[in-house]
């Protein structure tokens, strides 16, 4: 199976996040739950657009590079309670596994993401663009290596 890649620029991400904020603006949210790490930047943009100051996070690990593995919640969104009045934000819903796990944690929350693949679409309440299931989205933060190796100072004189 061939993997297709779609590159999202910072400008496109910002435009899509603002459009998502506009779409959900008719609802009243007391807070946002950002799914780390991908949902953090869209959540910040949406929070600004909606003038929302309460941002909580939920940290779920399910991918190692491009391979989806076992789902593990490493930080619960305790401030959000059962999710009532909260908007959950992520960058992408792929298989829907992460979205379903979060919806179990926050059953009364509204789930929105920027991009949705066909398998994940039923797990989201709102999204901006559908992408093919075999597409791997390269977000702006994926454009460069995650870190540079530390500089090693020589101890020789």
């Amino acid at each position: 199976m061939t993997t297709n890649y779609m590159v999202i620029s910072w400008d496109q991400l910002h435009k899509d996040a603002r459009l998502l904020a506009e779409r959900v603006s008719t609802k009243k949210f007391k807070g946002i739950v950002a799914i780390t790490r991908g949902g953090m930047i869209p959540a910040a943009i949406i929070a600004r657009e909606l003038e929302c100051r309460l941002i909580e996070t939920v940290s779920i690990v399910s991918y190692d590079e491009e391979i989806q593995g076992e789902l593990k919640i490493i930080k619960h969104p305790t401030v959000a309670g059962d999710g009532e009045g909260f908007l959950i934000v992520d960058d992408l819903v792929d298989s829907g596994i992460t979205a379903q796990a979060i919806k179990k944690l926050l059953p009364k929350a509204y789930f929105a993401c920027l991009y949705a693949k066909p398998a994940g679409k039923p797990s989201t309440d709102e999204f901006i663009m559908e992408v093919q299931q075999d597409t791997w989205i390269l977000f702006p933060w994926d454009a460069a290596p995650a870190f540079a190796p530390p500089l090693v100072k020589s101890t020789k004189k």
Side-chain angles (χ1 to χ4, degrees), residues 76-147:
H76 288 265
T78 54
V79 171
D82 64 2
E84 188 169 356
F86 277 83
L87 172 65
I88 302 167
V89 176
D90 205 357
D91 54 354
L92 165 74
V93 63
D94 188 331
S95 66
I97 292 171
T98 300
Q100 290 166 18
I102 291 173
K103 287 176 105 175
K104 281 183 184 176
L105 286 175
L106 306 169
K108 294 184 178 179
Y110 192 83
F111 190 99
C113 59
L114 299 180
Y115 313 108
K117 293 185 179 181
K121 265 177 39 176
S123 300
T124 186
D125 297 309
E126 189 77 49
F127 64 92
I128 296 302
M129 182 192 313
E130 183 174 348
V131 296
Q132 295 179 349
Q133 198 66 43
D134 65 351
T135 299
W136 186 262
I137 298 177
L138 295 172
F139 289 97
W141 49 86
D142 295 326
F147 64 92

Side-chain angles (χ1 to χ4, degrees), residues 43-93:
I45 295 166
I46 291 167
R48 183 180 182 279
E49 293 298 315
L50 298 179
E51 296 185 9
C52 178
R53 302 253 179 202
L54 177 58
I55 302 176
E56 169 67 288
T57 60
V58 59
S59 300
I60 295 186
V61 178
S62 65
Y63 276 92
D64 183 15
E65 295 297 320
E66 294 181 19
I67 298 166
Q68 188 164 21
E70 184 180 332
L71 191 75
K72 187 165 59 174
I73 298 171
I74 57 175
K75 187 216 170 264
H76 288 265
T78 54
V79 171
D82 64 2
E84 188 169 356
F86 277 83
L87 172 65
I88 302 167
V89 176
D90 205 357
D91 54 354
L92 165 74
V93 63

